[in-house]
Amino acid sequence: MKRGHQSPLLLGNMEFKEQVLTLLNQAFEKRPDLFLIDFSMDAKSHVEIIIDGDKGVSINDCVEVSRAIEHQLDREVHDFSLSVQSSGATAPLKLARQYPQHKGRTLKVKSEGSEFKGKLIEVTDNEITLEWSERVPKEVGKGKQTVVRKETIAYNIIDQAQIVLTF
């Protein structure tokens, strides 16, 4: 194959990928409360879509997005598999848009070599604030006292943030 030219199979896959992404965007236009977390498609047209929502994602939401894409594609033209799923309760948070729905929950956040675990108490367009209680030695005398700590962390320095599930 000459440089700069792509095989017909690869071109076909690229066109198919664009078609799937267009249909996905149309589905999100109808459901603006849902949004894309991850999209992948391999050479065999196995399409995997991971979504989240401003108020979480139900199985019905996944089915709705799946149908909005699948029903517009011709299996006679493209042999493909499609999986639409929610990001999951234990999946790391990837987008700032995911944080507001988790306000009040405990998060574990890694940022610039530090790790914080606390309740998400504030969410803004640029940062989050965690709060937790910690036992520290008293300034005067023996023993320990409980203090409340807060840490505000900008989205752009969060390496990883994950919900801590408690039972």
Side-chain angles (χ1 to χ4, degrees), residues 111-122:
S111 172
E112 298 185 323
S114 297
E115 188 174 301
F116 305 97
K117 181 179 171 184
K119 183 189 277 190
L120 180 62
I121 61 166
E122 191 175 343

Side-chain angles (χ1 to χ4, degrees), residues 31-86:
R31 288 290 309 275
D33 59 312
L34 300 176
F35 51 93
L36 183 66
I37 297 297
D38 200 12
F39 177 94
S40 63
M41 186 176 97
D42 66 16
K44 294 182 179 180
S45 295
H46 297 294
V47 179
E48 187 171 294
I49 298 169
I50 300 174
I51 62 174
D52 203 348
D54 294 326
K55 294 182 172 111
V57 176
S58 70
I59 291 171
N60 289 338
D61 294 332
C62 293
V63 169
E64 184 180 329
V65 171
S66 178
R67 286 183 179 158
I69 296 167
E70 193 167 14
H71 288 232
Q72 301 299 317
L73 299 172
D74 186 352
R75 288 198 183 271
E76 298 295 321
V77 177
H78 291 286
D79 182 24
F80 67 94
S81 66
L82 175 64
S83 168
V84 177
Q85 53 194 314
S86 69

Side-chain angles (χ1 to χ4, degrees), residues 137-166:
K138 290 182 177 178
E139 289 182 23
V140 178
K142 295 180 181 180
K144 291 188 173 192
Q145 63 184 4
T146 301
V147 296
V148 175
R149 303 266 191 223
K150 286 185 183 181
E151 187 71 31
T152 299
I153 309 162
Y155 294 120
N156 64 350
I157 63 167
I158 294 175
D159 299 320
Q160 184 178 13
Q162 207 159 0
I163 300 158
V164 176
L165 297 178
T166 53

